[in-house]
Amino acid sequence: MSGGVDSSVTAALLKEAGYDTVGVTLQLYDHGAAVQRRGACCAGADIRDARSAAAAIGIPHYVLDFEARFRDAVIASFADAYVNGETPVPCVTCNETVKFTDLVAVARDLGADAMATGHYVRRVAGAGGPELHRAADASRDQSYFLFSMTRPQLDFVHFPLGDLPKRETRTLAARFGLAVADKPDSQDICFVPDGRYGDIVRRVRADAAAPGEIVDMEGRVLGRHEGIANYTIGQRRGLDLKTAGQALYVVRLEPGTRRVVVGPREALVRRDFAVRRVNWLCDAPPAETPMAVLARVRSTRPPVEATVVADGAGGARVTIHGGEAGIAPGQACVFYAPDGGGRVLGGGSIARPEAPLADAGRDSQPCLTGRPGAP
């Protein structure tokens, strides 16, 4: 229970259905003003909202201190990624580590039969066990952030809101008498309450502010910057370059030389790229066997036709048939079934162009043949 309307309604629905329900909130960080700002997540004011919702529902409520784990697994990796010229997705990292590994382990240790969250995704019974599908309400779908769930986790976790539009969730909150019925949704990264992620990166990694050159695609120096952590692929604003009316975008980041490479919009379009640390939620294709998918390279982009080829060592090569602009290393690439039904087949992290396909830091997770599992 993060203190928002979604998880509060989830708890109320379970209680109403007759389940022995316990509310759990994770204390993840405490960054001064973030504690007081409503509409954040997992900070002081939100913990109080979660506690009040649990009291209104009539269920026990516990707060677990995961601050150190969150700092090490999420915030530190977030800062490292930016310093290394990547654009991370901290919600994916948080789900993969804190929520659907650590919290699931706690739930199992406590003897829980299942864990439920307020995510807008659907858990659909399939021939091989539960499948992860996009939410019924496409505008609320959060499947992009959950591709790294393992099949055993998916067997344990439920998503009661997956078939509901957001307006119905708020209507239910009002019916249950929850004070959070009209609480705004969180918009920013939870531990970056003012949207200034560079401040967090510099706080964690002092070298994030190392200056360098801004160059064009031929290597000509056009300006200087105060740290590549302030830039991401496809960015146009903030370059402050004096050019002859030409719109320039960040097309590449070079952490080794601390150079930001800029070019015209057409230079952003790519068709082929590598993905590392692939997690499969279907039967993984044999190595070197092309698999038709719909691929999504950012949470704000729709899935598009693509082909993925597993490399047999935990990575894959993706080909976007029509090309995509602004494919950024560190972002997730999520694979969906090509029939348009919304089933998540798997996904991984987009690699830097020069990076190897495999990632020794994490074994690939082939699909299991037995009953899967859950967060």
Side-chain angles (χ1 to χ4, degrees):
M1 298 181 70
S2 66
V5 62
D6 298 327
S7 56
S8 298
V9 168
T10 295
L13 288 171
L14 295 172
K15 172 69 172 180
E16 184 179 63
Y19 291 100
D20 180 8
T21 307
V22 176
V24 175
T25 298
L26 304 182
Q27 165 80 36
L28 298 182
Y29 63 94
D30 187 353
H31 287 170
V35 175
Q36 301 302 324
R37 188 178 67 90
R38 292 179 65 82
C41 170
C42 308
D46 305 291
I47 290 174
R48 290 194 292 272
D49 287 345
R51 182 177 293 120
S52 296
I57 297 166
I59 61 173
H61 178 255
Y62 299 95
V63 179
L64 304 182
D65 183 359
F66 276 30
E67 191 169 339
R69 171 62 168 153
F70 186 76
R71 181 181 62 247
D72 295 341
V74 181
I75 298 179
S77 67
F78 175 84
D80 288 344
Y82 269 111
V83 171
N84 290 326
E86 298 186 351
T87 304
V89 190
C91 292
V92 170
T93 307
C94 182
N95 288 333
E96 182 179 334
T97 56
V98 174
K99 292 180 181 175
F100 294 146
T101 296
D102 300 335
L103 184 55
V104 164
V106 170
R108 291 186 184 279
D109 287 344
L110 293 176
D113 295 309
M115 189 173 93
T117 80
H119 287 97
Y120 284 86
V121 292
R122 290 181 298 136
R123 179 178 178 273
V124 177
E131 300 171 353
L132 184 65
H133 286 242
R134 298 181 70 185
D137 183 349
S139 68
R140 305 300 306 180
D141 175 56
Q142 294 173 298
S143 60
Y144 178 84
F145 302 101
L146 297 176
F147 76 88
S148 62
M149 290 181 68
T150 65
R151 291 174 74 173
Q153 289 170 346
L154 188 56
D155 197 45
F156 187 67
V157 179
H158 295 250
F159 308 101
L161 305 186
D163 290 312
L164 302 181
K166 182 68 176 223
R167 64 179 181 278
E168 186 170 342
T169 300
R170 292 197 181 278
T171 298
L172 286 168
R175 176 169 74 80
F176 288 125
L178 301 177
V180 295
D182 296 319
K183 183 175 179 178
D185 293 333
S186 59
Q187 299 295 328
D188 301 320
I189 298 171
C190 67
F191 57 91
V192 189
D194 56 5
R196 297 171 57 183
Y197 70 87
D199 293 347
I200 297 293
V201 175
R202 286 187 290 273
R203 186 183 308 168
V204 177
R205 289 286 302 268
D207 55 340
E213 297 173 336
I214 301 177
V215 303
D216 65 15
M217 298 182 69
E218 283 70 48
R220 293 185 289 261
V221 178
L222 303 179
R224 294 188 63 78
H225 65 80
E226 298 301 321
I228 64 171
N230 295 311
Y231 300 90
T232 185
I233 305 300
Q235 180 176 333
R236 179 182 177 186
R237 291 186 178 183
L239 292 177
D240 193 28
L241 300 175
K242 301 295 187 294
T243 57
Q246 182 184 24
L248 295 176
Y249 300 80
V250 176
V251 298
R252 190 169 69 251
L253 297 170
E254 299 179 350
T257 59
R258 299 201 300 274
R259 296 201 307 177
V260 174
V261 183
V262 298
R265 181 172 177 77
E266 54 267 26
L268 290 171
V269 179
R270 292 174 60 192
R271 294 184 67 250
D272 298 286
F273 55 93
V275 176
R276 62 181 188 254
R277 303 172 63 237
V278 175
N279 180 64
W280 293 102
L281 286 172
C282 67
D283 291 328
E288 307 304 325
T289 302
M291 179 181 185
V293 299
L294 295 176
R296 194 176 184 182
V297 296
R298 283 187 187 252
S299 63
T300 54
R301 301 274 184 87
V304 295
E305 291 185 351
T307 301
V308 60
V309 179
D311 70 353
R317 173 70 60 176
V318 179
T319 300
I320 303 290
H321 296 175
E324 275 274 13
I327 295 174
Q331 289 282 293
C333 179
V334 181
F335 315 137
Y336 296 85
D339 60 9
R343 182 185 177 186
V344 178
L345 303 179
S349 176
I350 298 171
R352 294 184 58 79
E354 68 274 20
L357 299 189
D359 186 330
R362 174 184 174 188
D363 293 334
S364 63
Q365 298 180 20
C367 296
L368 307 178
T369 54
R371 287 280 295 171

